[in-house]
Each structure stands twice: as C-alpha cells, then as structure tokens.
C-alpha cells in the first residue's frame, strides 16, 4: 500500500512541477550566495583587520605610556633620600603627577582609537553615520550642560597637573581653604589644615593658587635693643651668630644664603629694632627663624647687650586707696539755715483749741 501511494504521487501531474520549483529556488540561492560571497568575505576581513589594528595600536601606545611613567618614577626614586632629592625632588609628588597624567593619556588614547575603529566598522556595514553622529553631538551637548560642574572640575584638574601648579607636600592657599596638599586628583584636591582638619577642594572652584613651597622662603627676625647700645657691636654679634649657624648641620642645607642684617627698622625713645633676614629652603622659614632668635639671644647676652620688649603696664600693688573716695559730697540739707532746709521744713499744724 505505501509503495502504491508513492508511485501514485510520482505519477501525479503536480509532482514534476514541485521538483522543478525547488530546484529553481536552490539554484537561485546558490547563485545569490555565489554573487555576494566575495562582498561578505571582503567586509568580514575588513572588520577583522580594523579590530586587530585598533587592539594592537591601543596596546602598544598604552604600553609605551606605562614604560615612560615607570621610567620617570624610577628616576625620582634614584635621588630620593639624597641632598639633591630633598631639595629638588619630591618622589610622592612626582609619582602622583605622573600617574595622573598617564591615566588621562591612556583614557584619551583608548577613546580615540576604539571610537574611530567603531565608526569604521559601522561604515564597513554601509550604515549611514550622519544621523548617528548628529545624535551623538546632541547627546554630548546635553551631557555637557547637565554635568558642566563635573567637566569644569576635571579640566581644571588636568591643567593643574600638567602645569605643575602644586603637588603632594606643598603648602598652598587656595582661597577657599589653605593647608598642606596630601592628595591631588583630577576632580578634588585634599588639603590638611593647620589644626589637622582635611579640606576637600573642587578643582573647578579654585580661582587662585598661592604656593608657599615653590622657589624659596624668607625668614625674618626683629631684634629690639635699648637705644643706648652700640650699633656696631650689635651688628657684629648678630652677624657672628648667623655665620656660625650657616656652617652647622642641618641649617647649612636649609639656609640658601647668608644671614643679612638689613639695619634699623624702627627707632623709638625707649628702643630700637634691628631687622635680620635670611633666604631659606621652601617651607623651612619658621624653623630657621626660631633657631636664629635663639642664637642671636645667646650672642647678645655674651656681648653684654640687653634685649628689651614692650612690657604691659602692671598695677601698683603698694598704692593705697583714696581715703576720701568713700566720703559723700556735702549736702545743702546739712545746714538748717540753707534755703533748701527752710523750704523743706514741715508746716506746723493749726491750733484747733482756739
């Protein structure tokens, strides 16, 4: 029975048409594949080549940036702990600055390379990029308006690091806060204040920067002596103390110049002030001033020169109170004949017995 059904189906008039139609469709599909396989292969190879070049280029550039940053850090560590390193190089500051710059460069490199590769791959698929780029531009503008504070902080941080305006360990005055820099970021700078508090300052909010640790500092000391002292002797004692200080450690490294006696800063009836200055290493002026005052005081005492200062007036403990302070002023009513007493005399009551 099944064999007869198959023979009947094969001998039916519609069977040859169905086989011919299927063969025609298969032939059309094979022809379409044969016509387009070269295009597909070309597109696929182009996509693979673009992706491979982008990945290799990104890897090579990031590796080169990492090697440069590591070399900078090694050169900073090589002089760390030496006199030159203490004067010119702050290893932690240089490390953070190089790491921040490297992070920015790596991010920009990855964005440019991968973004360009993505657009080239979309172009290989013959996709119209004009609407996509227009939409991306509108989205970028909207994002810029919405996150303008964040963008401002980021860009300000990048330029602060590239220009080396300050670094870790510097004492700065940022206007909104002041203190020692303990961390420099692309968005926020951390400062430690004089009382130990930590300030988080947004880079976009900083309008001015006063770096107290760059270049050099000035130590100033005012020496007040009696007006009858010999000025030449005073100058000689102070100069000798300063010269001795410049030859001893660690002051010989902290002092970047000789101790100079500028002369009289003020002359009064009971005192005269001599101004003394010295150029010091950045951030070391306060310690130099304290040591200089100590040595100048010892030198003046050895030379018999007496230093004076403004002494507040003290109350005299031996003075006695005024004995008349508790005596009241005489009153007009004390005299019975005074007009006030007569006016205040009560009127005698009338005699009612008459």
């Amino acid at each position: 029975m099944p064999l007869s059904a198959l023979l009947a189906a094969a001998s039916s008039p519609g069977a040859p048409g169905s086989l011919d139609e299927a063969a025609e469709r298969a032939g059309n599909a094979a022809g379409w594949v044969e016509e387009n396989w070269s295009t597909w292969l070309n597109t696929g190879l182009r996509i693979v080549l673009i992706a491979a070049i982008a990945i290799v280029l990104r890897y090579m550039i990031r590796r080169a940036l990492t090697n440069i940053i590591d070399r900078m850090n090694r050169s900073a560590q090589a002089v760390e702990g030496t006199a030159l390193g203490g004067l010119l190089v702050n290893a932690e500051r240089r490390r953070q600055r190089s790491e921040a710059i490297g992070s920015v460069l790596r991010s920009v490199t990855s964005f440019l390379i991968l973004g360009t590769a993505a657009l080239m791959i979309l172009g290989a698929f013959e996709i119209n990029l004009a609407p996509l780029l227009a939409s991306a531009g509108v989205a970028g503008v909207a994002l810029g308006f919405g996150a303008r504070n964040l963008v401002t902080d980021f860009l300000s941080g990048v330029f602060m690091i590239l220009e080396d305006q300050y670094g870790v360990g510097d004492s700065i005055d940022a206007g909104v806060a002041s203190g020692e820099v303990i961390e420099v970021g692309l968005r926020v700078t951390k400062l430690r204040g004089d009382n130990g508090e930590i300030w988080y300052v947004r880079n976009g909010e900083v309008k001015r920067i006063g770096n107290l640790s760059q270049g050099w500092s000035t130590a100033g000391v005012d020496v007040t002596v009696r007006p009858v002292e010999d000025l030449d002797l005073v100058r000689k004692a102070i100069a000798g103390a300063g010269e001795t200080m410049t030859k001893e450690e660690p002051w010989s490294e902290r002092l970047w110049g000789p101790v100079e006696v500028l002369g009289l800063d003020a002359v009064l009836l009971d005192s005269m002030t001599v101004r003394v200055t010295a150029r010091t290493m950045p951030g070391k002026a306060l310690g130099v001033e304290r040591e200089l005052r100590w040595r100048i005081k010892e030198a003046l005492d050895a030379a018999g020169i007496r230093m004076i200062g403004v002494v507040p007036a003290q109350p005299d403990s031996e003075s006695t109170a005024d004995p008349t302070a508790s005596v009241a002023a005489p009153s007009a009513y004390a005299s019975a004949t005074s007009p006030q007493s007569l006016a205040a005399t009560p009127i005698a009551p009338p005699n009612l017995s008459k």
Side-chain angles (χ1 to χ4, degrees):
M1 184 63 182
L3 182 59
S4 60
L6 291 175
L7 293 175
S11 59
S12 61
S18 299
L19 293 176
D20 294 339
E21 184 178 357
E24 183 179 359
R25 290 180 179 178
N28 292 336
W32 182 75
V33 171
E34 184 178 359
E35 291 177 358
N36 295 281
W37 75 271
S38 59
T39 305
W40 295 347
L41 182 60
N42 186 18
T43 303
L45 291 177
R46 185 184 303 175
I47 293 173
V48 172
L49 184 61
I50 292 172
I53 292 176
I55 293 174
V56 172
L57 185 61
R58 176 177 176 270
Y59 173 78
M60 293 177 61
I61 294 178
R62 289 174 64 93
R63 182 68 179 272
L65 293 174
T66 303
N67 292 335
I68 293 174
I69 293 171
D70 291 342
R71 189 179 299 111
M72 293 172 59
N73 292 334
R74 286 195 300 269
S75 62
Q77 293 174 359
V79 296
E80 185 179 7
T82 62
L84 179 62
L87 291 174
L88 302 178
V89 179
N90 188 324
E92 180 64 18
R93 168 180 177 172
R94 191 165 184 176
R95 185 192 64 81
Q96 287 202 3
R97 180 168 176 258
S98 60
E99 290 291 342
I101 295 175
S103 177
V104 172
L105 293 178
R106 284 192 293 264
S107 300
V108 172
T109 300
S110 299
F111 176 78
L112 292 178
I113 294 176
L114 297 181
T116 304
L119 293 177
M120 294 178 66
I121 290 174
L122 293 177
F125 284 110
E126 297 183 357
I127 297 176
N128 188 9
L129 299 180
L132 181 62
L133 294 177
S135 301
V138 173
V141 172
L143 182 61
F145 277 108
R148 58 184 181 274
N149 291 332
L150 182 61
V151 175
T152 302
D153 297 339
F154 181 81
L155 293 178
S156 299
V158 170
F159 284 107
M160 285 180 181
I161 293 174
L162 291 177
E163 296 172 359
D164 195 19
Q165 298 180 8
Y166 55 83
V168 175
D170 287 352
S171 296
I172 67 171
D173 182 3
V176 294
S178 61
E180 181 181 355
V181 180
I182 59 178
E183 184 177 342
V184 180
L186 294 177
R187 193 182 68 87
V188 174
T189 298
K190 293 173 63 176
L191 304 177
R192 184 174 296 279
D194 297 334
N195 298 324
E197 69 276 9
I198 295 180
W199 298 96
Y200 294 86
V201 182
R202 289 171 45 196
N203 296 329
E205 295 295 328
V206 178
K207 304 301 180 183
R208 62 172 179 83
I209 290 290
N211 196 323
L212 308 179
S213 300
Q214 286 183 350
W216 44 268
S217 299
T218 301
V221 176
D222 291 331
V223 182
T224 306
V225 297
R226 297 180 301 175
V228 297
E229 300 291 348
D230 187 357
L231 289 177
D232 293 334
L233 188 59
V234 172
R235 181 191 296 271
K236 182 178 179 181
I238 296 175
E243 185 178 357
T244 304
M245 182 176 174
T246 56
K247 297 179 181 179
E248 297 180 1
E249 296 290 342
W251 311 111
S252 59
E253 294 182 359
R254 299 179 184 180
L255 285 170
W256 285 7
V259 178
E260 299 180 1
V261 181
L262 300 183
L264 286 176
D265 193 62
V267 179
L268 303 176
L269 292 177
D270 57 348
S271 66
M272 56 183 179
T273 303
V274 180
R275 183 67 174 175
V276 183
T277 62
R279 183 172 295 185
T280 69
M281 183 189 302
K284 304 298 182 181
L286 185 58
V288 171
E289 289 177 358
R290 292 170 177 170
E291 182 67 19
L292 193 57
R293 290 191 187 98
W294 186 291
R295 292 174 180 266
I296 291 175
K297 178 64 170 61
E298 290 182 342
L300 294 180
D301 290 342
I305 301 173
R306 180 179 169 187
M307 295 180 63
I308 62 174
V310 179
V311 181
Q314 300 293 334
D316 189 3
S317 59
E318 297 180 358
S319 63
T320 58
D322 187 2
T324 62
S326 60
V327 178
S331 176
Y333 294 99
S335 177
T337 60
S338 65
Q340 290 83 0
S341 297
L342 293 176
T345 301
I347 301 175
N351 190 358
L352 301 178
S353 61
K354 293 183 180 181

